[in-house]
């Protein structure tokens, strides 16, 4: 059976270790920030929010296996406890999708047994978050597809998680009562690591703000505030510390701003993404 997250997946000389939890993220983590292994990905969970802090996946498009999607694989992870995962009642009779953090099709690779196990694992509620329908089915998928289009490589490491703000709206389901302490994430972040044409490790990082507005265009970014950012911005927004060497390989590092970006008024080092060509790859 396929392994879980492998920091040496891209290259033995260029490991990508999972980030370390900081501040309130660390304090609110489940089981002291324990890593829960799945097929081709791993999750670190928040006991406070009941969503993943991040999900880290190894992706090999050259070994992709088509596995049919079905709606019978949704499940809780017994290791974490049902009480620490946001369940199906929060996604019923509303505009919220059960949005995958690690994408289902990204981990469906290897032999058929591996791919089927990874497919099933991706439907765990620990890998799911409250995502507005247009965000989940359109923008979220478009971003990673656009990255793949630009980088032209088959092997990626993708680390993804929600962004929470003090002002996040509590949502207890269509029939739930206030006081559940489950809140709709303000947005999401994604960091993609890959080996470029010169066999140098490269990192692309993005922040996407959620919006309930409907988009008429399948990949329209105008209504959802979407930015390419330095990896340091992910540290500030999500309270996660990556290996020091990873901060220097981001193509936006030379434009790094010391301030936390305001999403609607980005500062230096923050680049808005409207189309694939806007993604800055840095030198190849």
């Amino acid at each position: 059976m396929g392994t879980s997250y492998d920091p040496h997946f891209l290259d033995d000389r260029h490991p990508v270790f999972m980030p370390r939890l900081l501040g309130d993220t660390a304090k609110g983590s489940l089981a002291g920030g324990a890593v829960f292994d799945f097929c081709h990905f791993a999750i670190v969970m928040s006991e406070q929010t009941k969503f993943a802090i991040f999900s880290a996946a190894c992706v090999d498009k050259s070994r992709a296996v088509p596995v049919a999607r079905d709606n019978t694989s949704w499940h809780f992870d017994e290791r974490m406890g049902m009480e620490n995962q946001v369940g199906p009642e929060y996604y019923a009779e509303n505009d919220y999708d059960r949005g995958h953090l690690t994408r289902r099709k990204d981990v469906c690779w290897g032999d058929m047994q591996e791919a089927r196990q990874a497919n099933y694992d991706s439907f765990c509620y620990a890998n799911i978050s409250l995502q507005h329908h247009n965000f989940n089915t359109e923008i979220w998928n478009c971003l990673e597809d656009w990255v793949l289009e630009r980088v032209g490589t088959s092997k990626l490491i993708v680390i993804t998680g929600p962004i929470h703000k003090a002002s996040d709206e509590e949502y207890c389901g269509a029939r739930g009562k206030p006081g559940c302490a489950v809140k709709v994430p303000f947005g999401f972040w994604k960091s993609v690591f890959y080996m470029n044409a010169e066999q140098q490790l490269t990192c692309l990082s993005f922040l996407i703000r959620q919006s309930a507005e409907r988009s008429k265009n399948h990949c329209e970014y105008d209504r959802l505030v979407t930015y390419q950012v330095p990896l340091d911005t992910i540290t500030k927004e999500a309270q996660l510390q990556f290996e020091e060497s990873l901060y220097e390989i981001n193509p936006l590092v030379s434009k790094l701003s010391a301030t936390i970006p305001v999403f609607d008024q980005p500062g230096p080092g923050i680049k808005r993404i409207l189309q694939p060509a806007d993604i800055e790859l840095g030198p190849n």
Side-chain angles (χ1 to χ4, degrees):
M1 185 57 63
T3 60
S4 176
Y5 180 79
D6 177 7
H8 299 277
F9 179 70
L10 298 178
D11 188 295
D12 285 336
R13 299 168 299 167
H14 300 93
V16 180
F17 295 103
M18 291 184 187
R20 181 167 54 88
L21 310 184
L22 302 174
D24 291 339
T25 297
K27 293 177 184 177
S29 64
L30 178 65
V35 176
F36 295 91
D37 292 327
F38 297 87
C39 187
H40 298 155
F41 69 103
I43 287 175
V44 174
M45 200 72 179
S46 173
E47 185 175 15
Q48 180 180 10
T49 68
K50 304 184 189 302
F51 293 119
I53 295 172
F54 63 83
S55 184
C58 298
V59 182
D60 190 344
K61 295 295 184 182
S62 69
R63 300 179 62 199
V65 175
V67 178
R69 180 187 176 114
D70 62 66
N71 283 318
T72 64
S73 296
W74 302 104
H75 64 282
F76 290 98
D77 188 294
E78 295 181 355
R79 298 169 296 176
M80 301 177 186
M82 290 178 60
E83 70 279 7
N84 295 314
Q85 300 164 74
V86 175
E89 66 273 19
Y90 290 86
Y91 301 95
E93 302 178 54
N94 56 40
D95 287 333
Y96 291 114
D97 280 359
R98 291 176 281 197
H100 284 64
L101 294 175
T102 284
R103 295 202 306 180
R104 180 191 73 87
K105 65 180 182 179
D106 280 356
V107 291
C108 290
W109 57 268
D111 61 38
M112 181 55 73
Q113 184 181 8
E114 280 182 80
R116 286 175 175 168
Q117 182 64 52
N119 176 72
Y120 177 79
D121 287 355
S122 76
F123 282 92
C124 176
Y125 280 110
N127 187 46
I128 305 302
S129 185
L130 285 166
Q131 293 181 356
H132 291 290
H133 177 70
N134 61 324
F135 177 94
N136 177 43
T137 58
E138 299 170 0
I139 302 304
W140 196 229
N141 281 314
C142 286
L143 176 59
E144 197 163 321
D145 286 341
W146 286 0
V147 170
L148 285 169
E149 177 183 329
R150 291 298 313 278
V151 304
T153 185
S154 61
K155 293 184 72 172
L156 306 169
I157 281 176
V158 183
I159 308 179
T160 303
I163 298 170
H164 296 279
K165 302 286 187 181
S167 59
D168 287 348
E169 171 195 3
E170 181 183 66
Y171 183 72
C172 299
R175 301 180 184 275
K177 297 180 180 180
C180 65
V182 173
K183 296 186 175 182
V184 180
F186 171 86
F188 296 86
W189 63 272
K190 184 187 295 287
S191 289
V192 180
F193 300 86
Y194 65 98
M195 304 300 294
N196 67 14
E198 302 298 324
Q199 292 304 296
Q200 297 172 329
L201 183 63
T202 302
C203 168
L204 306 178
S205 295
F206 303 89
L207 294 179
I208 309 179
R209 178 177 177 174
Q210 279 208 99
S211 170
E213 294 182 53
R214 296 298 179 182
S215 171
K216 295 179 181 178
N217 186 313
H218 178 68
C219 288
E220 181 184 339
Y221 269 54
D222 199 31
R223 296 190 185 186
L224 296 177
V225 184
T226 306
Y227 299 113
Q228 183 177 358
V229 299
L231 186 60
D232 186 72
T233 303
I234 306 300
T235 289
K236 294 170 182 175
E237 292 286 344
Q239 293 189 298
L240 296 170
Q241 179 68 46
F242 292 82
E243 293 290 318
E244 287 298 327
S245 60
L246 299 181
Y247 291 93
E248 298 300 318
I249 61 174
N250 190 295
L252 298 186
V253 68
S254 62
K255 305 173 185 177
L256 181 61
S257 169
T259 60
I260 297 176
V262 177
F263 276 78
D264 293 316
Q265 295 179 332
I270 311 300
K271 182 174 183 179
R272 189 161 186 175
I273 304 301
L274 299 171
Q275 57 186 336
D278 293 335
I279 297 174
E280 188 164 335
L281 303 182
N284 290 321

